[in-house]
Amino acid sequence: MSALQSAEDVAEEITQPAPRPSRRPWTVWSAWRRRWRERHPAAARTLSVSVTVLAALLVVAALVMPNTVVRLGPAKFLRIPAEAVIGAAVLLALPRRPRVVVAALSGVLLGAMTVLNALDMGFNQYLGRNFNVVLDWSLFGDAESYLEDSLGRTATLAAVGGVIVLVLLLFVLLALAMVRLGNLLGRHPATATRGTLVAGVVWITCSSLGLQISGVPIASDRTANALKIQARRVSDTLKDEAEFRKVARVDAFGNTPGGQLVPDLRGKDVIFTFIESYGRSAIEDPIMAPGVDRTLDVRTKALAEAGFHARSGWLTSATYGGSSWLGHSTTMSGLWISNQQRYRTVMASDHLSLTEAFRKTGAFDTVGVMPGVQKGWPEQKWYGLDKVYNAFQLGYRGPKFSWSTMPDQYALQQYQERVHSKPAPAGKTRMSLLILTSSHQPWAPIPKMVDWDRLGDGSVFKGIEAAGNKAADVIADSTRSREEYGKSIQYSVTALTEWLERYGTKDTVLVFLGDHQPISRVSGDHASRDVPVSVVAKDPRMLDKIADWNWTDGLRPAHDAPVWKMSSFRDRFLTAYGSTPHPSTS
């Protein structure tokens, strides 16, 4: 019985179908790769060496990569990174599985540092500062909106998708590269140990002797320093938040009664206007300055013929290349608002804004015209504005000019029709805040002046927009960007001063200034943060009040005109026009 059962079992096993080989993708790929290597051993060795060399080059390039465009150059990549030497020593000391895990995690970390370096490059190129890992993530939404307005939704989606893919690919490639190099070290421990010791000795020697290639030290610890800098930046940001809260509670005019604020401006029609990206470079750069300076001189003469006179100086902005709201709030608060956290702190505080000071008097109706605002704007409360007109409340039916929702000339005409031509409430005059947008990058297409009586609902600009430059063509060309930027400033200054010449009265007092310099690709890598500021009025007493400021006559400030921090303007202005300080400390 036993023999018969055994024979049946054997027969059953023979008749059972053989198990199918695994068809998992990785197994199939491994089998195919093994067969290919067996058939083409020479090509396999060449390919293996090439991939290893590329992995090593990728890792080294990531380790020594600078964080500014101006520092890029071949010599920067011909360096010995200390992190590579230390990393090799660590990987050699680990068993296989921990080595693979550590190598992969190191690759991901190196990918993150490479992305931060790239962000630093971009922020330095456009905003003149490094990326802040605590505060700057919110700016990506603004950047996407800007690209969509400039290049269109399809191109923006493609660009954003491409960036995401590149970042993910970078993380994957660096992780795989580190694992491959770690495995190579593990297969040849004796040779790898000798190589690591030699590399360490060479690094120490180069560092001790200060050896360089084209002025660049051969010994590098770029990534380690970058990590320390990032950590310090995060720590400083968190400390700054706490310290700034204390600073914001101190206000020289915080307890000043309304009756003692700007008494010398009672009965006047006061207008504060910001011109987007109107910086010192517009007046002094050899490419932009000739046209802008000519416009300023022509408009100074035209205003003088209409009875207006001006004085001009310089303010050093708290921002550069963008984040205009930081410049606006710094001017109006008297505080140095140089980052988003400070901005949020001030907007949530009761620190007195210059515009709120006018409302607090009870003698002024306060109005804002904000053609760049396309969503809720809770800042209205802090600015002390009784009424705000945003981009959707000005009746515009013409085309957008890239980011700018409407031409400055149209916005000014709407301000005239909706606000300036209307009588203020009984017993009051008016204080207005205007933020113009036509000189916002990418400076293509740029509006042109039309007859003021033909502005209508803005449809007249359709042909001008269609015939203008394409944003993509200007963005890609630095020289054209500078030329078109200069033209946009000429347009904005002309629109504002023509409005004043046409509609200004004996009681009008206009203060206009830039919010920041244009991006460094236009203003230059070493440009200042200065912006022009002008006070214009018919009543000579208004300019006499600021005679001791020693500003330049006319709309064009002299090169050696006084330069103040933008945060000092509020207190100087309040004091000049008769306000009495009553400090608050909490």
Side-chain angles (χ1 to χ4, degrees):
M1 184 70 177
S2 177
L4 178 59
Q5 184 178 2
S6 178
E8 289 176 352
D9 291 342
V10 170
E12 185 178 353
E13 288 182 12
I14 293 174
T15 58
Q16 286 290 330
R20 292 184 179 180
S22 173
R23 305 302 294 173
R24 286 178 297 183
W26 181 252
T27 304
V28 173
W29 163 250
S30 298
W32 180 89
R33 187 175 61 172
R34 185 167 55 253
R35 289 195 302 270
W36 185 84
R37 283 180 172 177
E38 291 171 354
R39 294 173 185 171
H40 308 282
R45 283 194 299 273
T46 301
L47 180 61
S48 178
V49 171
S50 298
V51 171
T52 301
V53 170
L54 288 174
L57 291 175
L58 177 63
V59 170
V60 170
L63 287 170
V64 299
M65 176 183 174
N67 66 342
T68 59
V69 173
V70 294
R71 293 178 183 174
L72 282 175
K76 287 290 183 180
F77 295 94
L78 299 175
R79 310 175 72 190
I80 302 173
E83 300 85 358
V85 178
I86 297 171
V90 171
L91 293 177
L92 277 169
L94 294 174
R96 182 181 178 280
R97 287 188 178 179
R99 183 175 66 242
V100 171
V101 172
V102 170
L105 291 176
S106 299
V108 171
L109 177 60
L110 185 54
M113 290 304 302
T114 304
V115 170
L116 289 178
N117 278 338
L119 288 171
D120 276 348
M121 282 187 185
F123 271 65
N124 276 302
Q125 187 74 355
Y126 283 88
L127 302 180
R129 63 177 178 83
N130 291 317
F131 176 75
N132 189 305
V133 295
V134 178
L135 303 176
D136 287 336
W137 299 106
S138 62
L139 297 181
F140 290 122
D142 296 325
E144 183 180 358
S145 298
Y146 162 69
L147 286 176
E148 187 171 333
D149 291 330
S150 302
L151 304 178
R153 183 162 182 77
T154 301
T156 299
L157 289 175
V160 172
V163 169
I164 292 173
V165 170
L166 283 175
V167 169
L168 293 176
L169 186 61
L170 176 67
F171 277 88
V172 170
L173 288 177
L174 279 169
L176 292 175
M178 286 295 296
V179 170
R180 185 178 185 87
L181 295 174
N183 289 337
L184 179 65
L185 294 173
R187 287 196 302 271
H188 308 282
T191 303
T193 300
R194 288 195 297 271
T196 301
L197 289 173
V198 170
V201 171
V202 172
W203 189 93
I204 292 172
T205 302
C206 293
S207 178
S208 300
L209 299 178
L211 299 181
Q212 299 181 349
I213 297 177
S214 300
V216 177
I218 296 174
S220 167
D221 55 355
R222 168 77 187 84
T223 299
N225 279 333
L227 276 170
K228 288 189 291 185
I229 290 170
Q230 289 289 352
R232 190 183 310 122
R233 199 177 295 164
V234 169
S235 174
D236 290 346
T237 299
L238 298 177
K239 290 179 182 177
D240 178 75
E241 178 182 354
E243 292 172 359
F244 184 71
R245 288 182 184 276
K246 298 176 182 178
V247 172
R249 286 197 290 266
V250 178
D251 188 344
F253 292 89
N255 286 329
T256 300
Q260 297 180 23
L261 289 168
V262 291
D264 297 340
L265 288 171
R266 304 298 167 85
K268 296 300 181 184
D269 176 28
V270 183
I271 305 167
F272 295 99
T273 303
F274 286 92
I275 295 180
E276 170 66 36
S277 300
Y278 181 30
R280 186 168 192 143
S281 296
I283 293 175
E284 296 185 348
D285 181 88
I287 290 180
M288 291 96 75
V292 173
D293 289 352
R294 183 167 55 252
T295 296
L296 291 172
D297 292 343
V298 168
R299 298 311 305 156
T300 295
K301 183 177 179 181
L303 287 175
E305 291 174 354
F308 289 93
H309 297 280
R311 298 247 175 104
S312 301
W314 304 106
L315 299 177
T316 301
S317 178
T319 185
Y320 181 99
S323 301
S324 302
W325 55 92
L326 303 182
H328 306 157
S329 53
T330 294
T331 305
M332 293 297 157
S333 69
L335 297 169
W336 191 251
I337 306 178
S338 55
N339 60 51
Q340 193 64 18
Q341 182 58 53
R342 288 186 169 207
Y343 180 77
R344 288 192 290 262
T345 298
V346 170
M347 290 302 113
S349 75
D350 58 0
H351 192 93
L352 184 72
S353 68
L354 181 53
T355 42
E356 165 67 16
F358 283 86
R359 191 200 64 80
K360 189 176 179 181
T361 66
F364 291 87
D365 179 41
T366 58
V367 179
V369 176
M370 313 285 179
V373 173
Q374 302 179 62
K375 54 187 178 181
W377 198 60
E379 290 91 334
Q380 176 180 349
K381 179 181 179 182
W382 181 82
Y383 276 96
L385 300 174
D386 298 318
K387 170 69 176 176
V388 169
Y389 292 89
N390 65 25
F392 306 112
Q393 296 170 315
L394 296 173
Y396 185 63
R397 297 294 181 267
K400 291 182 70 174
F401 284 75
S402 292
W403 184 88
S404 178
T405 58
M406 64 192 70
D408 290 347
Q409 185 185 10
Y410 179 87
L412 288 161
Q413 181 64 28
Q414 288 300 304
Y415 166 65
Q416 175 62 27
E417 293 177 5
R418 297 170 185 267
V419 180
H420 191 255
S421 63
K422 308 295 185 184
K428 295 184 178 182
T429 52
R430 184 171 284 116
M431 188 287 304
S432 305
L433 175 64
L434 281 63
I435 299 180
L436 303 180
T437 63
S438 287
S439 49
H440 194 286
Q441 60 176 303
W443 310 297
I446 300 171
K448 294 182 179 179
M449 295 295 296
V450 301
D451 190 295
W452 288 86
D453 296 325
R454 293 180 55 234
L455 286 170
D457 65 359
S459 299
V460 68
F461 290 102
K462 289 180 179 178
I464 295 173
E465 189 273 340
N469 293 318
K470 302 301 180 187
D473 297 335
V474 173
I475 288 174
D477 188 325
S478 181
T479 300
R480 287 193 67 187
S481 292
R482 296 167 76 187
E483 293 170 347
E484 298 306 308
Y485 161 73
K487 293 176 185 176
S488 74
I489 295 298
Q490 293 177 58
Y491 168 79
S492 294
V493 169
T494 300
L496 178 60
T497 54
E498 277 196 15
W499 174 87
L500 180 62
E501 183 183 358
R502 184 180 177 92
Y503 297 114
T505 70
K506 62 182 179 61
D507 291 322
T508 302
V509 178
L510 171 65
V511 180
F512 75 93
L513 66 155
D515 44 24
H516 55 72
Q517 283 266 49
I519 58 176
S520 60
R521 190 166 55 85
V522 170
S523 59
D525 293 322
H526 304 291
S528 73
R529 290 176 173 247
D530 298 346
V531 300
V533 56
S534 300
V535 178
V536 192
K538 267 189 178 180
D539 186 343
R541 294 174 300 171
M542 296 298 99
L543 297 184
D544 290 343
K545 296 289 182 182
I546 62 171
D548 61 349
W549 290 3
N550 297 317
W551 282 10
T552 307
D553 288 335
L555 298 177
R556 176 156 62 105
H559 178 75
D560 59 352
V563 181
W564 306 338
K565 290 187 71 172
M566 186 177 269
S567 54
S568 71
F569 180 79
R570 188 204 70 160
D571 288 5
R572 286 176 181 266
F573 186 89
L574 289 172
T575 301
Y577 290 100
S579 304
T580 304
H582 286 276
S584 64
T585 57
S586 61

